[in-house]
Amino acid sequence: MTARLCDRNPVVAPDALIGEMVPPSTFDSVSFDSYIPDPAEPSQAQAVAKARDFVARASKVRGGGKRGLFSRKSTGQGIGLYLDGGFGVGKTHLLASIYHSMPEPKAFATFVEVTHVVGALGFVNAVERLSDHTVLCIDEFELDDPGDTMLVSRLLTELSAKGVSIVATSNTLPGQLGEGRFAAQDFLREIRKLASVFEPIRVDGPDYRHRDLPPAPQPRTDAELAEIAESTPGATLDDFDALCDHLSTLHPSKYKDLVEGVPLVCIRGVHPAKDQSVALRIVVLADRLYDANIPVTVSGSKLDEIFTEEMLNGGYRKKYLRATSRLLALSRFAESAV
């Protein structure tokens, strides 16, 4: 019998959440040396140089200060770097390279994952567990939810004061002139208490995920989908509505463990999400599937039809566009793998 994600109920100990704050496996081996700047985009080479400089300076923060005869070694305030650019210009590559270059302990997470960790641990506990880190790397800092932005801004204020250096990458606000490009001023305004800590660096370039890619694959029939799932050891097969209902019962911090070890995710009867709460859970699931490089194949509607036009024109537009891009990449991966 084919396995289902709906039958999985992962239990994640709060203590494990901090330990899981590492780059996706796709970025396990990246480095500054493996980032190849585009000669046509000089800002990319400049960003590499700034990132290397950040590592050199941030590594000294924990080692700075003077030790008195009966006092602990003092720690200066952490420094900050903000990599500001559109989708697919190599920001995450640079962010992971910074992470790999910094001393332990250190943490890497998306903005959404940071909010989930704080939600699971509680604010005070999260600050305590992260306060000895050399760096916190936050991918895709989101500005579309005022509550989450204020929460993370407060977290970064506390951590920076304790000597934790911060690096963040952008996720631009919807409706902004040049959307999909740069949001440095929005970022600095929203974290105004920390604005003086951050140095914004632009990273120009086209989105590599959109270069010469074919349209969304045609959905399979239900029979084809079932046959593929049954013939792929470890694959899962779920009905779209049942999977959406199951996601609503799990804290988003558990989605990573939900798909752990699954080689192929098959989803039957895909259709446009019925409301925003469902759509936002799909966004988080898409991120976890993409981080784990898990192919996705479906029946029903195409994967670029999950988020309605109304959703795409609303406040979470950037989230939905990113999720669509990632799901399409995973579906094309499935096309070649099956």
Side-chain angles (χ1 to χ4, degrees), residues 32-246:
F32 294 128
D33 290 338
S34 66
Y35 182 95
I36 309 301
D38 185 343
E41 303 289 354
S43 65
Q44 294 186 7
Q46 294 167 5
V48 174
K50 289 289 187 179
R52 288 183 184 273
D53 177 67
F54 172 88
V55 169
R57 292 185 295 121
S59 298
K60 295 177 181 178
V61 171
R62 287 295 181 190
K66 298 180 180 180
R67 187 190 298 272
L69 184 59
F70 300 106
S71 63
R72 292 183 177 182
K73 195 173 186 180
S74 63
T75 301
Q77 178 163 315
I79 62 173
L81 184 69
Y82 180 65
L83 300 171
D84 182 29
F87 284 133
V89 296
K91 301 189 308 295
T92 304
H93 184 134
L94 290 176
L95 189 67
S97 299
I98 290 172
Y99 172 89
H100 292 314
S101 301
M102 289 292 293
E104 296 279 0
K106 52 193 174 181
F108 181 112
T110 64
F111 177 90
V112 172
E113 288 173 323
V114 171
T115 64
H116 293 163
V117 167
V118 175
L121 295 179
F123 185 86
V124 173
N125 194 9
V127 170
E128 180 180 347
R129 291 173 180 272
L130 290 168
S131 61
D132 64 341
H133 283 45
T134 61
V135 70
L136 171 60
C137 300
I138 303 179
D139 203 15
E140 298 165 346
F141 199 103
E142 298 184 355
L143 302 172
D144 49 19
D145 188 310
D148 284 346
T149 301
M150 289 178 62
L151 174 69
V152 176
S153 178
R154 180 184 166 207
L155 176 72
L156 300 189
T157 299
E158 298 254 0
L159 292 178
S160 179
K162 295 178 182 295
V164 182
S165 293
I166 314 291
V167 194
T169 68
S170 65
N171 190 334
T172 57
L173 283 169
Q176 180 182 331
L177 181 63
E179 180 189 346
R181 304 297 293 174
F182 309 111
Q185 294 308 311
D186 299 286
F187 174 80
L188 295 175
R189 182 183 65 248
E190 296 297 334
I191 60 161
R192 53 190 176 276
K193 290 182 180 179
L194 272 179
S196 62
V197 173
F198 280 89
E199 179 182 7
I201 302 299
R202 285 177 54 146
V203 189
D204 293 302
D207 182 347
Y208 72 89
R209 291 194 300 269
H210 293 167
R211 295 172 191 164
D212 303 319
L213 290 178
Q218 287 294 326
R220 303 179 187 276
T221 66
D222 287 350
E224 290 171 338
L225 196 68
E227 182 179 352
I228 290 169
E230 290 172 5
S231 62
T232 306
T236 59
L237 174 61
D238 291 86
D239 290 315
F240 181 73
D241 286 332
L243 179 58
C244 291
D245 288 343
H246 186 55

Side-chain angles (χ1 to χ4, degrees), residues 228-304:
I228 290 169
E230 290 172 5
S231 62
T232 306
T236 59
L237 174 61
D238 291 86
D239 290 315
F240 181 73
D241 286 332
L243 179 58
C244 291
D245 288 343
H246 186 55
L247 293 178
S248 71
T249 69
L250 300 175
H251 190 276
S253 64
K254 297 181 178 181
Y255 288 13
K256 178 179 179 180
D257 289 81
L258 178 70
V259 300
E260 181 73 30
V262 176
L264 173 68
V265 167
C266 303
I267 306 175
R268 180 168 45 209
V270 167
H271 60 78
K274 63 182 180 180
D275 58 45
Q276 194 133 264
S277 61
V278 171
L280 291 173
R281 292 186 196 108
I282 294 172
V283 168
V284 179
L285 179 64
D287 287 341
R288 300 293 78 77
L289 291 169
Y290 187 79
D291 288 346
N293 246 344
I294 300 174
V296 176
T297 188
V298 304
S299 68
S301 299
K302 295 180 181 179
L303 284 169
D304 59 0

